[in-house]
Amino acid sequence: MAKLPVSPEKIITHFGPHLNFAPQEGYPGRDEPDATVKTHCCFCGMQCGIQLLVKNNKVVGFEPWMEFPFNEGRLCPKGVQRYLQDNHPDRLLEPLQRVEGEGFKPIAWDDALNRVTTAIRQIQAAHGKDAFSILSGVSLTNEKSYLMGKFARVAVKTANLDYNGRLCMVSAGAGNKKAFGLDRGSNNYADLEHAEVIIVTGANVSETFPTLTHWLWRARDNGAKLIVIDPRVIPLARTADIHLAIKPGTDSALYGAMLKHLVDHDLLDHDFIREHTTGFADTIAAVQDYTLEWAEAITGIEKEKIRQAADLWGRASTSFLLHARGIEHHSKGVENVLGCINLVLATGRIGRPYCGYATITGQGNGQGGREHGHKCDQLPGNRDITNPEHRKYIAGVWGIPEAELPGKGLTAWELIEAIHQGEVKGLLSICFNPLVSLPNNNYVREALEKLEFYVCIDFFLNETARHADIVLAGSLHEEEEGTVTTAEGRVVRIRRAVTPPGNARTDTSIILDLAARLGEADKFTYADTEAIFNELRVASKGGTADYYGITYKKIEDNMGIFWPCPSEEHPGTPRLWEDRQFATPDGKAHFNPVQFREPSEVTDSEFPVVLTTGRVVSQYLSGTQTRRIGKLVGLIPEPLLEIHPELAQRYNIRQRETVRVTTRRGSAEFPANIVETIRKDTVFIPYHWPGKKSANQLTIGTLDPVSKIPEFKVCACQLEPLGIFTQPGETNAFDSI
Ligand SMILES: Nc1nc2c(c(=O)[nH]1)N[C@H]1C(S)=C(S)[C@@H](COP(=O)(O)OP(=O)(O)OC[C@H]3O[C@@H](n4cnc5c(=O)[nH]c(N)nc54)[C@H](O)[C@@H]3O)O[C@H]1N2
Ligand SMILES: Nc1nc2c(c(=O)[nH]1)N[C@H]1C(S)=C(S)[C@@H](COP(=O)(O)OP(=O)(O)OC[C@H]3O[C@@H](n4cnc5c(=O)[nH]c(N)nc54)[C@H](O)[C@@H]3O)O[C@H]1N2
Ligand code: SF4
Ligand SMILES: [Mo]
């Protein structure tokens, strides 16, 4: 086995060195692995390159992959522990069926799959095709995402297919399409390196995209000024030049006032606005009354700080604006996104070296997974399911008459409502744990209980799966070949390192088998995963997310290819818009007027405190994977209620005291973590835990009217200390800061 060069500093993340990894010659003290497999981390949208060490068909460890260009070997705490989920005792090893009164019992694959197809047929015969629904997820590879879209429309023939990106990327996607006609970050992250000014808003980068921090530090080393907009002093904000501690739900007021400042002080790129954009006049008219004083009153940020931030942004010659769910998880998520884009367009700083804009994609394949057609309104290539030409093209690729292609279906949350109303009776879910991740989960649980039939495909028995009639034992990231698309838009190869254990099967083989049992074998037969990808390439051809020119070989030869890539000779597109030809019908970038409106639930005398929710560094999404990895659990074992000392004092809440948090949806109890790093009117709870620890017992199901994303980031709550301390002794409030 060749020795791998490892420089220790490469594996020191923002959170410090990983002491469990000692760079050594060879593998002293342990067996030589059978293979090292170059692949990518299964977690967030950074999709860091990693090498998995394989022994006896088990993943037993990892090595950094130094050559992969984005992370250059660096990994975060989740990345270095990810391999531990492989041989976990909770792994589902065979299909299960619910036996009333007895729990889940193993069932033969043949019987399990037949039960699924019989249930689909019976429900559809009795209640119509759309009464059977599908929820999919974007931890799945591009190939599986594509397959799920085709499976729903061609094999199950239902319109009701949606995906967990509906809780994640859709506000950004809708905003990007409106403004640019295409949904992807404009530059690769290396372009951050020489940006003069960087705005990071609603993105806790150090905890949620730790390896991206490197590129921000590189920019800082080169003198970049950093503006962080977040209700909390997140780790990145501690060293920012300007931190704007915004009141949750008020971003569009801030961006509106910043835009007005740019106009009032003529900090605009007039040539760019005139030649390459539309809608500027209406957009500035919408903010003409948005004075700094007005914005201060709405956002809770001192006007002088807003002025400084707008001025810094306006006067820069290169810049980058990054945002994530903090501005997108709102009933006006799309408007917030457009407010940011307006600031970028007004200064013309896009499509040039070190000038860019991006939403930071969340899930592992949050980028690719939102392009290939498992959204309720979308067909592959990011085509529109209501557009007759798009429908005709895809129906042609799939070999069905266009009339047979279902239309637009319900979004994830609307599906839950339709189950309540008795319109939807059956559900297949893959790669989605809605009971933990959707808002107002008491309502979600009631919906699950109303289903006539529910089948879940997962490798762990997630909390939603406990309500299933059949659970199909699927596969981990490292058990199938495929591709994913990183947050940068770089299409990379996922490698099979091992095969599924026991009687578990690959997700792909399960879907193909179900399609065959539904009578569509001829349309669902592929020699291998590459054949699925090659069909996806054709399906995406001519769409805005054009993968046609990307082949497995090209990806391997180049360690990834950026889409759009319309032909095999095309090198891919790391930086969009250099030719100033935007993907909108008129080729221009579009300003969109944004006026501030309140969140769907504002505080009042009964519910006087703002509740916001989000993440911690060591847990991932609904936690099904990371709550099973001991060292990650050890870092942050349970959700704590972050609260400012002054707010805590007002309610007489002490450090580690259990606090009952109540909203109009429900109550839940969390130990207090009193920190000075949060606004005085806001509390924060991470959402990775289920059941009584779930923040989503409290959140609200109001949707953005365009993107249909739920308003996870703001609702109103009341607080009540219970006098119970989960840790012995009382800590000085300031010890935890
Ligand atoms: N450790 C870890 N990393 C992850 C994930 C994970 O679960 N755990 N999930 C991945 C996924 S799918 C996603 S989507 C991303 C999410 O990544 P982020 O969006 O960075 O994560 P969040 O914690 O949801 O929210 C970010 C910040 O928004 C702030 N915020 C709340 N309300 C507002 C507001 O009204 N305005 C502004 N400007 N900010 C606000 C919160 O204080 C929080 O710090 O992370 C990805 N990476
Ligand atoms: N309150 C609150 N709620 C939120 C958020 C928030 O900030 N606040 N954030 C929202 C966001 S941004 C997101 S992305 C969602 C995420 O919410 P979910 O998508 O529900 O969360 P996951 O934990 O990813 O659930 C995915 C399930 O898929 C399984 N899985 C993972 N990979 C694979 C695979 O390759 N094959 C198969 N078969 N199964 C797989 C996992 O084991 C897990 O059970 O949560 C949302 N919910
Ligand atoms: S930053 Fe994201 S992709 Fe990279 S190691 Fe961490 S969780 Fe994995
Ligand atoms: Mo997400």
Side-chain angles (χ1 to χ4, degrees):
M1 164 103 347
K3 282 187 294 184
L4 288 161
V6 174
S7 84
E9 72 273 16
K10 289 287 185 185
I11 50 161
I12 295 171
T13 72
H14 179 63
F15 289 89
H18 288 287
L19 300 173
N20 62 331
F21 182 88
Q24 287 165 334
E25 302 280 304
Y27 300 90
R30 60 184 179 183
D31 291 346
E32 288 280 310
D34 301 334
T36 51
V37 181
K38 288 188 168 63
T39 185
H40 295 267
C41 174
C42 58
F43 295 133
C44 85
M46 297 301 106
Q47 285 301 291
C48 297
I50 188 171
Q51 303 194 77
L52 296 181
L53 305 183
V54 179
K55 185 85 187 166
N56 299 333
N57 199 32
K58 288 185 188 322
V59 177
V60 293
F62 75 95
E63 292 276 8
W65 175 8
M66 314 305 284
E67 299 79 22
F68 185 71
F70 163 72
N71 64 308
E72 299 167 330
R74 288 174 292 271
L75 293 163
C76 85
K78 292 184 302 305
V80 299
Q81 306 290 342
R82 72 173 292 292
Y83 74 95
L84 290 168
Q85 67 179 333
D86 267 60
N87 307 306
H88 198 282
D90 288 353
R91 181 67 197 270
L92 295 174
L93 298 175
E94 48 203 335
L96 302 172
Q97 66 171 328
R98 164 186 301 276
V99 180
E100 282 315 325
E102 294 185 43
F104 285 116
K105 295 264 156 147
I107 177 175
W109 271 107
D110 208 33
D111 297 338
L113 296 173
N114 281 339
R115 271 203 59 194
V116 175
T117 49
T118 304
I120 294 174
R121 285 210 178 91
Q122 282 175 349
I123 286 173
Q124 291 189 321
H127 307 284
K129 294 281 184 209
D130 298 342
F132 197 90
S133 62
I134 297 180
L135 285 172
S136 184
V138 291
S139 293
L140 298 178
T141 56
N142 290 323
E143 290 78 356
K144 293 193 229 178
S145 300
Y146 170 78
L147 208 52
M148 286 309 297
K150 183 175 174 187
F151 173 73
R153 276 73 178 244
V154 177
V156 181
K157 303 181 171 55
T158 179
N160 283 328
L161 155 76
D162 207 35
Y163 82 133
N164 62 3
R166 186 68 60 191
L167 315 182
C168 183
M169 298 308 306
V170 283
S171 296
N176 275 259
K177 273 184 131 179
K178 269 178 188 266
F180 306 115
L182 178 147
D183 174 18
R184 200 205 97 182
S186 67
N187 306 48
N188 63 328
Y189 290 136
D191 255 356
L192 282 162
E193 198 171 345
H194 295 287
E196 260 179 39
V197 174
I198 300 172
I199 290 183
V200 177
T201 177
N204 183 7
V205 176
S206 321
E207 296 204 61
T208 52
F209 309 106
T211 53
L212 175 58
T213 322
H214 166 81
W215 294 101
L216 293 166
W217 294 153
R218 288 280 281 266
R220 298 287 273 156
D221 288 346
N222 292 327
K225 300 282 185 209
L226 179 64
I227 301 167
V228 172
I229 306 169
D230 199 295
R232 301 183 299 148
V233 188
I234 50 174
L236 197 64
R238 289 177 201 157
T239 64
D241 298 279
I242 301 177
H243 171 231
L244 305 180
I246 193 162
K247 181 173 181 187
T250 65
D251 287 78
S252 52
L254 172 66
Y255 310 137
M258 287 174 71
L259 181 62
K260 178 173 158 52
H261 180 88
L262 299 181
V263 174
D264 289 351
H265 295 81
D266 197 19
L267 301 171
L268 302 168
D269 184 338
H270 293 284
D271 292 346
F272 178 83
I273 294 169
R274 190 179 52 249
E275 281 160 35
H276 304 298
T277 71
T278 64
F280 183 60
D282 290 346
T283 300
I284 58 172
V287 299
Q288 63 181 353
D289 300 329
Y290 288 13
T291 60
L292 296 176
E293 291 74 19
W294 172 85
E296 174 174 323
I298 304 260
T299 62
I301 306 166
E302 291 158 43
K303 65 178 184 192
E304 177 53 22
K305 279 195 161 184
I306 304 177
R307 191 196 62 75
Q308 280 171 12
D311 222 56
L312 203 54
W313 179 259
R315 294 183 196 284
S317 55
T318 55
S319 64
F320 222 110
L321 192 151
L322 295 168
H323 60 74
R325 305 310 84 74
I327 71 159
E328 300 165 27
H329 278 158
H330 291 272
S331 57
K332 51 177 179 297
V334 179
E335 289 156 43
N336 288 342
V337 168
L338 291 170
C340 284
I341 294 174
N342 288 341
L343 292 175
V344 174
L345 295 180
T347 50
R349 290 196 299 262
I350 191 158
R352 286 193 270 133
Y354 318 121
C355 291
Y357 154 82
T359 181
I360 317 175
T361 293
Q363 296 142 296
N365 193 24
Q367 182 65 52
R370 70 185 198 256
E371 298 156 1
H372 304 305
H374 59 160
K375 293 164 80 162
C376 67
D377 48 359
Q378 187 204 53
L379 291 171
N382 213 344
R383 287 185 164 87
D384 180 356
I385 203 162
T386 59
N387 179 317
E389 297 212 336
H390 293 185
R391 293 173 59 83
K392 211 167 130 212
Y393 180 74
I394 295 298
V397 176
W398 289 347
I400 58 167
E402 191 244 289
E404 279 183 19
L405 197 57
K408 184 173 165 178
L410 297 171
T411 63
W413 180 254
E414 291 169 330
L415 271 177
I416 300 296
E417 292 176 330
I419 295 170
H420 268 276
Q421 283 143 21
E423 288 160 22
V424 169
K425 306 275 188 191
L427 172 67
L428 179 151
S429 75
I430 178 167
C431 198
F432 198 161
N433 189 10
L435 186 56
V436 182
S437 56
L438 281 173
N440 193 1
N441 54 25
N442 293 320
Y443 185 75
V444 177
R445 185 177 300 104
E446 285 163 24
L448 293 171
E449 285 163 8
K450 285 188 179 172
L451 283 170
E452 278 178 19
F453 183 81
Y454 169 36
V455 51
C456 173
I457 308 175
D458 210 303
F459 40 76
F460 289 133
L461 191 68
N462 71 37
E463 288 74 20
T464 316
R466 291 178 193 166
H467 294 259
D469 298 285
I470 295 283
V471 182
L472 301 176
S475 53
L476 285 167
H477 211 239
E478 50 269 37
E479 293 168 358
E480 282 205 72
E481 295 288 342
T483 61
V484 298
T485 307
T486 75
E488 297 179 288
R490 193 194 307 254
V491 185
V492 297
R493 276 286 268 121
I494 300 303
R495 290 294 198 170
R496 183 179 56 213
V498 292
T499 53
N503 273 331
R505 286 176 53 173
T506 63
D507 293 335
T508 307
S509 76
I510 296 170
I511 299 302
L512 296 181
D513 198 335
L514 285 172
R517 284 165 202 258
L518 289 166
E520 302 293 345
D522 59 325
K523 301 191 184 64
F524 288 87
T525 303
Y526 300 92
D528 52 21
T529 320
E530 190 170 4
I532 303 175
F533 186 74
N534 285 336
E535 188 179 293
L536 176 162
R537 291 171 52 207
V538 175
S540 75
K541 187 173 189 226
T544 54
D546 193 334
Y547 280 51
Y548 182 64
I550 305 177
T551 62
Y552 273 21
K553 176 156 190 335
K554 253 171 95 174
I555 298 174
E556 280 152 23
D557 290 349
N558 297 283
M559 284 194 271
I561 298 285
F562 289 82
W563 71 265
C565 182
S567 68
E568 285 196 34
E569 300 70 49
H570 193 286
T573 317
R575 188 184 297 124
L576 294 168
W577 322 130
E578 291 196 274
D579 59 359
R580 297 285 185 252
Q581 279 305 305
F582 293 93
T584 50
D586 60 8
K588 311 263 187 195
H590 294 183
F591 280 97
N592 286 272
V594 177
Q595 286 199 306
F596 171 72
R597 54 191 175 88
E598 294 283 1
S600 64
E601 191 177 71
V602 291
T603 52
D604 54 23
S605 54
E606 199 186 348
F607 296 96
V609 176
V610 179
L611 167 65
T612 191
T613 62
R615 295 162 164 74
V616 293
V617 66
S618 48
Q619 286 297 316
Y620 189 66
L621 303 182
S622 70
T624 35
Q625 293 167 273
T626 43
R627 278 186 281 107
R628 289 186 159 87
I629 299 178
K631 283 187 176 162
L632 294 179
V633 173
L635 275 175
I636 299 169
E638 60 178 337
L640 301 176
L641 174 86
E642 274 182 34
I643 181 169
H644 190 275
E646 280 185 27
L647 187 59
Q649 203 174 24
R650 191 177 332 145
Y651 289 94
N652 203 16
I653 292 168
R654 286 173 294 169
Q655 178 65 0
R656 290 294 310 192
E657 182 170 2
T658 303
V659 178
R660 179 175 296 137
V661 185
T662 304
T663 67
R664 291 188 173 85
R665 274 70 53 200
S667 280
E669 293 165 16
F670 303 90
N673 187 23
I674 302 178
V675 292
E676 276 195 334
T677 49
I678 186 163
R679 283 180 60 89
K680 294 171 190 172
D681 55 5
T682 302
V683 292
F684 172 90
I685 308 172
Y687 88 100
H688 313 283
W689 286 266
K692 299 244 178 271
K693 291 280 173 202
S694 170
N696 277 328
Q697 297 172 94
L698 305 168
T699 48
I700 189 165
T702 317
L703 304 181
D704 179 292
V706 177
S707 71
K708 306 289 170 91
I709 207 167
E711 191 145 60
F712 290 121
K713 287 291 183 276
V714 53
C715 69
C717 72
Q718 47 179 250
L719 306 174
E720 184 194 346
L722 297 181
I724 303 164
F725 292 86
T726 49
Q727 267 180 2
E730 215 176 311
T731 324
N732 178 319
F734 296 94
D735 283 351
S736 63
I737 294 167

